[in-house]
Amino acid sequence: MQPPPTGSEILDRAIESLRTPQDSRPPDLTIQRTVSALWSAELRRQRMRTRWVMGIAAAVVLAVCTSATLLVLQARHSMRTIVIAPPPTIPTPPPPTPGTHIPVQPTAPRPQKEQHTAAEDNAETTTVQPAAFTSEVRITGHVYYDGPPVERRPIDLSICPQCMRILPGPLYDDSLIVNQDGSLQNVIVSITNGLGPHEHYPPGDPVVLDQKYCTFEPHVVVAMVGSRMTVRNSDPLVHSTHAINSTSVPAFNFAMPGVTERTLDPFRNGDTFQVHCDLHPWMRAWVCVMPNPYYDLTRGAGTYTIRDLPPGTYQLTAWHEVLGTMHKEVTITGGEPAVVDFTFEGRQQDN
Amino acid sequence: MVDWDGIVSREGPAVWRTLYRLLGNRADVEDCFQETFLGALAVWNREAVQHPQALLQRMATARALDRLRKRYRTTGREGGSAELESVSSASPLPPHAAEAAELGQRLRDALTLLPQKQAQAFCLFYLDGWDYHDIARQTGGTVNAVGVLLHRARQRLRELLGDLVETTSKSES
């Protein structure tokens, strides 16, 4: 009698029953289907990978474009901020009281007048400065206007909505500014005759012509032969600086995109340039280049002062862009300064 | 580019045998056959495969065990027997062959009740003839761990097939 099988024997029999070959080869159709499915999956995967690569490339391009745009916007914003920011206030020294001793600067005195800024133009006391103690006043005086009352015309800005957005208030015509006491601003008084023919003077200080709030600042710039002029655009919009000399020959003409500046070559000859902006027709300025350092520009008080002129007889010329030119003769003796006033005859204003 | 035509032709029969041993059902075998190769494709795209046959057999075993568990959950033990009966009724078997078929089916059912690692190690060792080192390399374990897995699997299967001991002893007596 055979002993009953154990659990291990039953398990071995079960294993053996599964190991017995039953169907050892897949049908050809199954193999073909499987191969087709594998190739399809492979193609799908490659297509997907291509899409991923293209998607990543598109994302990179988009990111680069976005970054570039942000950088440009940031740069523009920072430039605009410079324009909007108020200019730093320069503390003005208190006016000297009579009898006060102010030490003389160790630098050699310059006979040429300094170029005045807009802030100085509006100050009544600009002629009383410590510089007066470093040089000697030889000629001084007032320039007056005698004629029909002058009202500064407001400028029609409707052609430029961009200007209207940035301007703090209305703009007025600067071509003829008469003070309440009848004195006249923006008159250049200079020595035009009587100096030695071969006098050589050092070049003057650099000057600045700024385009701010859609107007030239200052309205009249006086420079000397050999001086450099920096043309600046402080507005966040485009201006064109177009200058024509006294013989109607274009001297320079260039466009200035927002908040830029450009320094020109030194002036070689004395001349008078009318500067205007081709985009904003009301913007006009004058640049007068003097052959000698003996000149001054009347400012808020309508006065002028010429210093350090050697004794002699000279022709004094006053020039105004609207009212024309006047000449006077003056003799400097070396004592008290000569006082020479000019009075321009006014004409009826054209409307 | 992988030569899938060659791989399927070369390794297909071994995969088919592995699947057929565990499933015993042609429709399921065909499904798992394709799934096995598609799964291998995914592995191929991720990493370099040094032993395609080993990978395919391991994956075939895993797929077959999953299919067995799914079938067992869906139809229960009776369902598996019913399937065997339908196969048997289509082609009448001699008594010895019928007993072997039933033993095989009981072993399949019992394998579904084992943990995945034990069942896989059992199938690779006893049905596909792998050695301990191959199983350890393919499953990412150690040789000792494979021995423990096989021991526990065998012990558990003996318990699960315990009722057959009494039945067989009665029939033989």
Side-chain angles (χ1 to χ4, degrees):
Chain A
M1 183 177 170
Q2 198 172 359
T6 61
S8 292
E9 287 171 351
I10 294 292
L11 180 58
D12 290 339
R13 282 188 204 173
I15 292 169
E16 195 57 37
S17 71
L18 289 188
R19 286 178 66 107
T20 305
Q22 298 165 5
D23 190 353
S24 60
R25 182 161 181 82
D28 290 341
L29 186 61
T30 304
I31 290 178
Q32 287 173 7
R33 279 182 188 163
T34 305
V35 170
S36 299
L38 286 168
W39 283 121
S40 300
E42 186 76 29
L43 286 175
R44 265 201 312 276
R45 191 182 66 85
Q46 287 186 358
R47 211 172 295 148
M48 194 72 77
R49 185 193 289 173
T50 308
R51 280 185 195 160
W52 267 99
V53 170
M54 291 179 68
I56 289 170
V60 168
V61 169
L62 190 64
V64 169
C65 291
T66 309
S67 304
T69 308
L70 285 175
L71 282 175
V72 169
L73 288 176
Q74 195 175 2
R76 282 188 183 172
H77 178 71
S78 60
M79 290 165 81
R80 195 168 296 164
T81 306
I82 292 170
V83 175
I84 292 169
T89 55
I90 302 170
T92 54
T97 55
T100 304
H101 173 71
I102 299 177
V104 177
Q105 298 292 328
T107 54
R110 288 186 65 84
Q112 181 202 354
K113 292 298 296 177
E114 293 177 358
Q115 193 63 43
H116 301 281
T117 63
E120 287 171 327
D121 283 350
N122 295 329
E124 290 287 333
T125 58
T126 46
T127 53
V128 183
Q129 290 182 351
F133 295 89
T134 63
S135 59
E136 202 168 345
V137 176
R138 292 300 186 186
I139 306 174
T140 185
H142 280 79
V143 180
Y144 292 105
Y145 169 82
D146 183 16
V150 174
E151 284 189 9
R152 294 178 66 187
R153 288 178 297 186
I155 292 169
D156 180 16
L157 299 169
S158 59
I159 64 165
C160 184
Q162 281 183 309
C163 299
M164 294 176 76
R165 276 200 292 273
I166 64 167
L167 287 178
L171 276 185
Y172 293 96
D173 183 23
D174 285 338
S175 61
L176 185 59
I177 304 175
V178 180
N179 298 322
Q180 287 187 343
D181 63 350
S183 57
L184 197 56
Q185 295 186 29
N186 292 331
V187 177
I188 299 172
V189 181
S190 61
I191 300 295
T192 53
N193 203 356
L195 294 167
H198 301 295
E199 288 282 352
H200 179 72
Y201 305 101
D205 293 332
V207 293
V208 176
L209 178 62
D210 195 3
Q211 294 159 101
K212 190 173 183 181
Y213 298 133
C214 290
T215 186
F216 283 107
E217 185 65 44
H219 182 66
V220 177
V221 176
V222 195
M224 232 188 86
V225 172
S227 297
R228 281 179 176 273
M229 184 170 78
T230 299
V231 181
R232 183 179 298 157
N233 180 8
S234 299
D235 286 338
L237 44 87
V238 181
H239 287 303
S240 83
T241 310
H242 188 178
I244 299 170
N245 71 0
S246 55
T247 55
S248 301
V249 175
F252 52 84
N253 183 9
F254 46 82
M256 301 192 75
V259 194
T260 50
E261 67 175 32
R262 182 168 174 171
T263 301
L264 308 178
D265 291 337
F267 294 112
R268 293 180 181 173
N269 301 306
D271 206 342
T272 301
F273 301 92
Q274 187 190 28
V275 186
H276 64 272
C277 172
D278 293 325
L279 304 176
H280 306 100
W282 64 86
M283 288 179 65
R284 289 187 184 279
W286 294 85
V287 177
C288 299
V289 182
M290 298 296 171
N292 62 65
Y294 306 112
Y295 59 83
D296 196 8
L297 176 70
T298 61
R299 292 169 295 277
T303 60
Y304 71 93
T305 304
I306 295 175
R307 303 169 191 277
D308 295 332
L309 194 62
T313 301
Y314 302 98
Q315 186 185 50
L316 198 59
T317 300
W319 172 91
H320 187 270
E321 62 175 285
V322 174
L323 301 174
T325 305
M326 290 182 70
H327 303 284
K328 282 193 176 180
E329 203 162 88
V330 60
T331 300
I332 308 295
T333 57
E336 288 293 312
V339 177
V340 180
D341 292 341
F342 289 90
T343 302
F344 280 95
E345 296 291 331
R347 295 172 298 187
Q348 194 67 36
Q349 276 190 290
D350 299 331
N351 291 323
Chain B
M1 219 40 151
V2 181
D3 176 23
W4 289 111
D5 295 330
I7 288 176
V8 174
S9 302
R10 198 168 51 246
E11 311 297 344
V15 172
W16 184 268
R17 275 196 302 274
T18 299
L19 292 170
Y20 210 101
R21 278 184 197 127
L22 284 171
L23 296 172
N25 178 318
R26 193 168 182 134
D28 285 346
V29 171
E30 284 188 351
D31 286 348
C32 286
F33 185 80
Q34 203 170 84
E35 287 175 10
T36 300
F37 278 96
L38 288 173
L41 169 69
V43 176
W44 238 288
N45 291 327
R46 275 202 312 270
E47 58 195 57
V49 177
Q50 292 180 347
H51 305 288
Q53 185 182 6
L55 172 73
L56 286 165
Q57 281 199 327
R58 180 174 65 80
M59 295 189 74
T61 304
R63 300 261 175 224
L65 287 169
D66 287 344
R67 181 59 64 101
L68 274 181
R69 286 196 186 88
K70 191 175 173 185
R71 188 199 293 171
Y72 189 80
R73 278 197 304 271
T74 308
T75 61
R77 198 171 167 182
E78 291 75 17
S81 303
E83 186 180 331
L84 181 64
E85 284 167 9
S86 68
V87 172
S88 305
S89 62
S91 53
L93 295 173
H96 182 71
E99 183 189 340
E102 188 183 353
L103 274 174
Q105 187 58 38
R106 286 296 307 276
L107 181 56
R108 291 185 185 108
D109 293 345
L111 283 171
T112 62
L113 301 176
L114 291 184
Q116 172 72 14
K117 283 189 175 179
Q118 289 182 22
Q120 193 173 16
F122 183 88
C123 293
L124 291 173
F125 183 77
Y126 286 105
L127 302 182
D128 292 328
W130 288 25
D131 60 18
Y132 278 32
H133 289 90
D134 290 340
I135 296 172
R137 196 182 306 122
Q138 278 296 316
T139 55
T142 63
V143 174
N144 289 337
V146 172
V148 172
L149 284 174
L150 288 174
H151 175 73
R152 288 180 180 165
R154 198 175 168 84
Q155 192 176 12
R156 177 74 177 135
L157 288 172
R158 274 205 309 268
E159 292 170 9
L160 291 170
L161 300 178
D163 59 321
L164 289 178
V165 177
E166 297 172 5
T167 310
T168 309
S169 58
K170 281 178 186 173
S171 64
E172 287 182 356
S173 61

